[in-house]
């Protein structure tokens, strides 16, 4: 429960703006929840946010970095330049009605299983709220809202970083919907997403197998090679795959086959080394089967460098704003959603996050806690990491779903479409807005954040885009033609 006196203390223009515009922000997030557009297809979602930012006086540059749904919204003049990152893409197969049982709106349709509907809106709301205050006070400085598409496929920010979109920002702030109110202090796994294509020769599998060269056998041998490699890799490295083309009928030797790998590791250099090993295995598989291969490099990303100075700014403002104020109705929904989890799931999610096991007894998180993941690496990847290698970056989470809600689940879609997620979103908008204001007023904090960043880059090496120079963002052709 938010402390009343603390709420009054920070009840300045930023928090008032968010409170007065709560109905608008909720409407925007509901619209984006309903659009549920997949990565690089977020035409309505990006348009909604860009239009609202434009209405508030921001200048919009649409379609940056060769992605029609990526944009930059800027307001103000001169230094410092403070960036806020926003996301708005949905996930396939997670279409879900706002009911506490699994019921899709559209079978196999998409849904906001990661809460990016409230992610983008809180970020835009925070940017507008901070702008209102700067404008009124006549404080110089620039706010930039970065509209980042396709986070789920780790595409948007990596391609934007390659184009230098974040280069003029002094710092970047962001958040992510979660189930606890705290700073996100952990790193994340660096990653490559790569498809290996094998090309053989088809023949009748019974009549003339000797004339055929099986591309599928090459895929199978490659996967066996990769599985033998695992023993010789450090433990946190994760390699997972799907066979995206295994040929047609068993009576035709397949002349084409494809396997898609995600290679993840705590450091970018370890991803690169492991990737080189996979290329050697592909060469071996091709040699063994008399086939040829090539590679579709889909995307790659770095590991997150969380900036501690900025993390402290976010945490202080988070304490001022307080946890979202949930009511009986929120608790009822949280209980229904929690009851639908698989046995042991809540315990597993809390344990994996590193949070206190005491949280398991609670339904919704109603306090702000110190970070519990410092020095750790979360077992997933995010393209926010690629921003963090270019400009000092920090992020936080607010409670937008019941404690222990699995990520990318239908329960999460319900939570972030309901008042639980909406309350977490309004808190996040206030925290972002207040943090922008604090940093605009304290040049010293920005200098310190940059010193920390420069030190870290000195130790770890400069950012080199993981993407091949000539690689274009994978904008779906069908969508491009339609719009
Ligand atoms: Zn996600
Ligand atoms: Zn996400």
């Amino acid at each position: 429960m938010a402390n009343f006196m603390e709420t009054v203390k920070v009840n300045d223009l930023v928090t008032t703006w968010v409170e007065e515009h709560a109905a608008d922000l909720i409407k925007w997030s509901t619209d984006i929840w309903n659009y549920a557009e997949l990565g690089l297809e977020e035409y309505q979602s990006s348009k909604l946010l860009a239009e609202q930012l434009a209405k508030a006086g921001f200048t919009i540059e649409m379609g940056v970095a060769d992605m029609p749904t990526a944009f930059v919204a800027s307001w103000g003049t001169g230094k410092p330049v403070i960036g806020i990152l926003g996301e708005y893409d949905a996930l396939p197969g997670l279409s879900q009605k706002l009911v506490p049982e699994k019921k899709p709106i559209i079978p196999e349709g998409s849904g906001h299983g990661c809460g990016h509907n409230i992610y983008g809106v809180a970020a835009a709301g925070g940017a507008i709220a901070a702008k209102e205050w700067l404008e009124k006070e006549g404080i110089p400085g620039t706010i930039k809202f970065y509209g980042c598409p396709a986070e789920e496929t780790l595409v948007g920010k990596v391609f934007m970083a390659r184009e230098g979109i974040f280069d003029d920002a002094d710092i970047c702030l962001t958040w992510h919907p979660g189930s606890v109110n705290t700073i996100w202090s952990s790193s994340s796994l660096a990653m490559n997403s790569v498809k290996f294509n094998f090309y053989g020769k088809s023949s009748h599998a019974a009549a003339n197998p000797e004339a055929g060269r099986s591309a599928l056998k090459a895929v199978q041998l490659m996967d066996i090679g990769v599985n033998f490699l695992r023993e010789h890799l450090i433990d946190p490295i994760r390699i997972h795959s799907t066979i995206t083309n295994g040929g047609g009928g068993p009576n035709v030797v397949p002349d084409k086959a494809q396997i898609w790998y995600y290679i993840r590791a705590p450091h970018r250099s370890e991803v690169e080394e492991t990737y080189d090993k996979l290329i050697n295995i592909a060469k071996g598989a091709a040699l063994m089967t008399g086939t040829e291969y090539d590679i579709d490099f889909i995307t790659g990303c770095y590991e997150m460098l969380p900036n501690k100075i900025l993390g402290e700014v976010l945490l202080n403002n988070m304490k001022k704003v307080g946890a979202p104020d949930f009511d009986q109705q929120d608790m009822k929904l949280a209980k229904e959603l929690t009851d639908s989890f698989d046995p042991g799931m809540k315990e597993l999610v809390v344990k994996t996050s590193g949070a206190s096991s005491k949280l398991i007894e609670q339904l919704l998180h109603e306090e702000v806690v110190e970070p519990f993941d410092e020095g750790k690496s979360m077992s997933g990847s995010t393209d926010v990491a690629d921003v963090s290698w270019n400009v000092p970056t920090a992020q936080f989470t607010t409670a937008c779903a019941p404690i222990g809600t699995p990520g990318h689940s239908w329960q999460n879609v319900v939570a972030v479409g309901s008042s639980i997620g909406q309350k977490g979103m309004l808190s996040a908008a206030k925290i972002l807005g207040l943090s922008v204001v604090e940093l605009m007023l304290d040049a010293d904090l920005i200098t310190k954040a940059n010193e920390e960043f420069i030190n870290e880059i000195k130790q770890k090496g400069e950012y080199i885009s993981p993407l091949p120079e000539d690689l274009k963002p994978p904008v779906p052709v069908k969508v491009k033609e339609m719009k």
Side-chain angles (χ1 to χ4, degrees):
M1 193 85 56
N3 177 301
F4 177 69
M5 281 317 290
E6 280 188 354
T7 310
V8 171
K9 254 193 284 169
V10 291
N11 194 9
D12 54 18
L13 211 58
V14 171
T15 49
T16 310
W17 187 91
V18 174
E19 275 155 25
E20 283 176 355
H21 293 81
D24 292 336
L25 299 182
I26 289 170
K27 163 98 174 55
W28 307 346
S29 77
T30 306
D31 286 349
I32 297 177
W33 188 90
N34 280 313
Y35 300 152
E37 295 166 295
L38 295 176
L40 298 180
E41 298 178 15
E42 315 98 324
Y43 286 92
Q44 298 179 86
S45 308
S46 60
K47 187 167 170 249
L48 185 153
L49 292 174
E51 276 179 3
Q52 295 303 338
L53 285 153
K55 240 191 247 173
F58 283 71
T59 308
I60 311 293
E61 196 189 340
M62 205 72 206
V64 298
D66 273 340
M67 291 177 286
T69 56
F71 70 98
V72 182
S74 315
W75 184 88
T77 46
K79 288 273 185 185
V81 179
I82 297 187
I84 299 183
L85 307 173
E87 298 172 5
Y88 31 79
D89 59 327
L91 284 156
L94 279 178
S95 171
Q96 170 65 33
K97 289 182 182 166
L98 272 184
V99 292
E101 59 181 307
K102 193 173 181 337
K103 262 199 183 151
I105 301 169
I106 305 163
E108 307 304 316
S110 48
H112 271 288
C114 211
H116 295 180
N117 62 315
I118 51 177
Y119 185 151
V121 171
I128 299 171
K131 171 251 153 189
E132 293 290 317
W133 183 86
L134 287 179
E135 196 173 31
K136 184 165 176 270
E137 299 292 318
I139 308 273
T142 305
I143 303 172
K144 286 205 164 194
F145 174 92
Y146 296 104
C148 306
E151 191 283 331
E152 293 297 351
T153 43
L154 295 161
V155 162
K157 300 181 202 72
V158 189
F159 281 85
M160 289 166 85
R162 189 181 64 176
E163 293 294 304
I165 301 288
F166 307 106
D167 288 357
D168 60 349
D170 292 301
I171 57 150
C172 260
L173 303 176
T174 193
W175 78 296
H176 197 287
S179 57
V180 284
N181 304 291
T182 191
I183 301 308
W184 192 343
S185 294
S186 59
S187 186
S188 55
L189 296 176
M191 190 188 101
N192 270 0
S193 165
V194 196
K195 291 177 178 173
F196 288 84
N197 303 298
F198 287 90
Y199 306 96
K201 220 197 288 177
S202 61
S203 69
H204 193 294
N208 296 107
E210 68 277 22
R213 299 285 178 269
S214 170
L216 175 63
K217 296 281 185 293
V219 159
Q220 290 169 313
L221 284 166
M222 171 157 193
D223 214 34
I224 289 168
V226 170
N227 286 332
F228 274 111
L229 173 67
R230 290 181 200 275
E231 187 189 345
H232 308 287
L233 298 174
I234 56 166
D235 188 48
I237 289 183
R238 295 278 180 273
I239 306 175
H240 20 273
S241 62
T242 51
I243 295 177
T244 35
N245 179 8
N251 55 347
V252 182
V253 173
D255 64 344
K256 284 193 194 77
Q258 185 187 63
I259 185 160
W260 185 5
Y261 284 103
Y262 277 16
I263 307 160
R264 307 196 209 226
H267 302 290
R268 180 73 215 155
S269 56
E270 293 156 350
V271 170
E272 306 266 2
E273 285 161 20
T274 311
Y275 176 45
D276 286 345
K277 288 173 186 165
L278 260 68
I279 293 174
N280 277 336
I281 292 170
K283 282 180 193 161
L287 189 63
M288 280 189 278
T289 49
T291 58
E292 290 180 351
Y293 82 96
D294 63 19
I295 295 171
D296 294 335
F297 191 97
I298 308 300
T299 191
C301 70
Y302 273 61
E303 72 274 16
M304 178 76 195
L305 300 180
N307 190 279
K308 289 197 184 87
I309 297 283
L310 296 179
E312 275 164 33
V313 173
L314 291 173
L315 186 62
N316 287 340
N317 285 302
M318 204 169 203
K319 286 176 182 168
K320 282 185 205 163
V321 171
D325 196 358
F326 297 114
D327 60 21
Q328 282 313 309
Q329 215 184 323
D330 299 324
M331 286 297 171
K332 183 176 173 279
L333 177 61
K335 170 92 173 69
E336 287 167 336
L337 290 172
T338 305
D339 287 346
S340 75
F341 297 164
D342 288 341
M345 180 54 87
K346 182 173 181 178
E347 291 75 6
L348 181 68
V349 171
V350 170
K351 193 176 156 221
T352 311
S353 75
S356 159
S357 57
K358 274 191 232 150
L359 292 191
I360 294 165
E361 288 138 42
Q362 301 167 32
L363 280 174
L364 289 164
H365 200 221
E366 294 187 283
E367 54 186 335
V368 174
V369 292
E370 299 290 323
F372 44 75
D373 57 354
E374 219 176 307
K376 293 182 188 162
S377 177
M378 69 151 192
S379 53
S381 309
T382 168
D383 64 3
V384 174
D386 289 67
V387 181
S388 78
W389 278 74
N390 284 280
V391 45
T393 304
Q395 52 188 350
F396 63 94
T397 67
T398 62
C400 298
I403 290 168
T405 304
H408 296 186
S409 62
W410 67 262
Q411 290 95 339
N412 216 18
V413 183
V414 176
V416 301
S418 75
S419 82
I420 298 176
Q422 289 155 358
K423 285 177 181 171
M425 168 185 80
L426 296 174
S427 296
K430 290 178 189 172
I431 296 159
L432 285 167
L434 288 171
S435 301
V436 170
V437 167
E438 185 178 342
L439 287 155
M440 284 285 182
L441 290 174
D442 194 342
D444 201 37
L445 279 174
I446 294 183
T447 308
K448 281 188 188 147
N450 272 279
E451 280 167 5
E452 180 188 326
F453 170 75
I454 289 163
N455 269 337
E456 201 148 15
I457 293 295
K458 253 189 215 155
Q459 287 168 32
K460 296 190 164 141
E462 288 289 317
Y463 179 80
I464 299 165
S465 174
L467 307 173
E469 247 170 65
D470 54 351
L471 186 69
K472 293 255 179 250
V475 179
V477 177
K478 249 196 296 183
V479 176
K480 227 198 285 184
E481 283 167 359
M482 264 164 51
K483 304 281 162 172

